[in-house]
Amino acid sequence: MDEFSLIDTYFNRNQIPRADVILGIGDDAACVELKPLHQLVVSTDTLVECVHFLSDWDAYDIGYRSVMVNVSDIAAMGATPCWALLALTLPNLNKGWLERFSNGLHDALNQFNIRLIGGDTTSGPLTITLTLQGQVLNNKAITRSGAKSGNIIWVSGELGGAAAALKRTPRIPETHYQRLQKKLMAPVPRVDLQPILAQYATAAVDISDGLSADLNHICRRSKVGACLSLADIPIHPLVEKYYSNPLTFALSGGDDYELCFTTPAHYKVELVQAGLYPIGVITENTELTGLNEQGEPVSLVPRGFKHF
Ligand code: ADP
Ligand code: MG
């Protein structure tokens, strides 16, 4: 099997039809049509063996997760994902691995109606780079830089589960541990929140590195600070149950791929009813602080995953 039959066999199949794909896989470049009055939103993410996943991960999970983490970035912009490009570097041509990897990839892409329109295939150490394109109404992308003093800070779901899966405690039984592992392997990007972001959000970020680190990105870009009510941060119940430092996992764990966003304060009721969690307020000073259960201030150091 050469490079070209590999692409046809594993990647140019199971594809959902999209009328806006003028040219997909097979030419020198792909060509797509944007909806009228829309802008292109583009993001790319690389997964490297031993850095982002371990050698013993199933190839299905690697393919599936590589899509989900990219979709999360597009979701954080308040955009809709549409098209993907896959740059794949493989140490060898392992048909079983490719079959499982591409099954995971297509299952994830098809969930969001995303079409794979091209890529690149090379040999070398296992590396997966996925580039995702989405669309958003002209000038309506939600950025990290729009948070204002007095805004409420929200998170879209329970945190800490994915990071806890990477640090298994002997106290946790196997079935419960598998639920945490699912959080890590198969995160659910919050594309469903697009209408809420479009209507209410002043700034947004997805929680890939950890709540404190990612919220800090909003603060730096918006030139504001944040005060978190630590007791209000939603923590995954299994992390609360089995781990001695659940708040640390929620604040600096990462890999949850929930969204953190800010809104003007008067939208509070509707958003609580929509199942979102208010966790603090944006402040004028540029510090990141937390209030403990007694209401006493504790300083927060933005901690999260860093490559260098
Ligand atoms: P070129 O040499 O002109 O860059 P290639 O021969 O590398 O093009 O690729 C042929 C076609 O297959 C192109 O349309 C390219 O986008 C697509 N392609 C290559 N690798 C992949 C991949 N891993 N997944 C999806 N499409 C791919
Ligand atoms: Mg070419």
Side-chain angles (χ1 to χ4, degrees):
M1 177 180 275
D2 65 10
E3 185 190 325
F4 303 102
S5 56
L6 180 156
I7 295 163
D8 274 340
T9 309
Y10 298 106
F11 297 111
N12 201 9
R13 61 161 176 129
N14 285 355
Q15 292 254 61
I16 49 121
R18 278 190 73 111
D20 54 11
V21 176
I22 313 301
L23 257 183
I25 291 175
D27 221 298
D28 289 311
C31 182
V32 297
E33 190 168 328
L34 278 178
K35 283 198 282 193
L37 305 178
H38 279 67
Q39 291 168 337
L40 186 68
V41 177
V42 193
S43 170
T44 195
D45 252 315
T46 295
L47 301 188
V48 180
E49 185 169 23
C50 299
V51 179
H52 299 93
F53 58 90
L54 302 175
S55 312
D56 63 356
W57 278 36
D58 191 89
Y60 182 97
D61 293 328
I62 300 171
Y64 190 90
R65 191 172 186 278
S66 67
V67 172
M68 294 304 179
V69 301
N70 266 278
V71 170
S72 177
D73 281 319
I74 299 290
M77 302 301 293
T80 305
C82 304
W83 314 290
L85 292 148
L86 172 69
L88 189 59
T89 304
L90 298 170
N92 50 46
L93 209 163
N94 177 336
K95 289 184 183 174
W97 191 93
L98 275 165
E99 178 75 27
R100 291 195 306 282
F101 173 80
S102 58
N103 281 344
L105 184 98
H106 289 300
D107 283 353
L109 290 173
N110 291 351
Q111 260 184 53
F112 296 97
N113 215 26
I114 302 167
R115 173 83 174 258
L116 186 65
I117 55 169
D120 195 24
T121 308
T122 56
S123 71
L126 182 59
T127 309
I128 299 134
T129 298
L130 201 80
T131 303
L132 204 58
Q133 290 105 342
Q135 299 181 81
V136 71
L137 217 70
N138 278 346
N139 307 319
K140 294 290 184 194
I142 316 287
T143 66
R144 296 177 176 185
S145 59
K148 299 272 183 307
S149 172
N151 279 181
I152 306 277
I153 303 163
W154 301 83
V155 291
S156 60
E158 289 153 349
L159 303 177
L166 285 171
K167 292 215 169 101
R168 184 168 188 175
T169 160
R171 285 194 294 276
I172 191 166
E174 183 61 28
T175 49
H176 283 178
Y177 179 64
Q178 279 171 10
R179 275 173 55 196
L180 293 183
Q181 265 210 316
K182 184 134 197 289
K183 285 265 159 202
L184 178 68
M185 303 277 195
V188 180
R190 301 304 306 267
V191 180
D192 59 310
L193 294 178
Q194 195 276 332
I196 284 186
L197 290 184
Q199 194 175 351
Y200 301 112
T202 52
V205 69
D206 71 324
I207 305 177
S208 54
D209 294 337
L211 174 63
S212 59
D214 290 313
L215 175 60
N216 193 48
H217 294 317
I218 289 187
C219 291
R220 298 285 76 79
R221 298 276 298 189
S222 300
K223 300 189 173 62
V224 292
C227 181
L228 293 181
S229 168
L230 300 179
D232 292 336
I233 296 174
I235 302 176
H236 194 288
L238 293 179
V239 182
E240 293 257 41
K241 185 169 168 147
Y242 293 111
Y243 289 77
S244 54
N245 50 347
L247 187 62
T248 308
F249 282 104
L251 277 173
S252 46
D255 286 328
D256 287 308
Y257 296 98
E258 292 292 341
L259 298 183
C260 173
F261 62 97
T262 56
T263 68
H266 52 273
Y267 292 127
K268 208 162 164 171
V269 182
E270 296 99 294
L271 295 182
V272 171
Q273 279 166 354
L276 300 161
Y277 302 87
I279 58 162
V281 290
I282 293 292
T283 57
E284 202 165 334
N285 69 46
T286 54
E287 273 142 48
L288 197 58
T289 52
L291 298 179
N292 66 16
E293 298 210 16
Q294 288 73 44
E296 299 153 351
V298 287
S299 85
L300 290 181
V301 184
R303 252 190 267 276
F305 186 79
K306 285 194 183 127
H307 285 276
F308 302 104

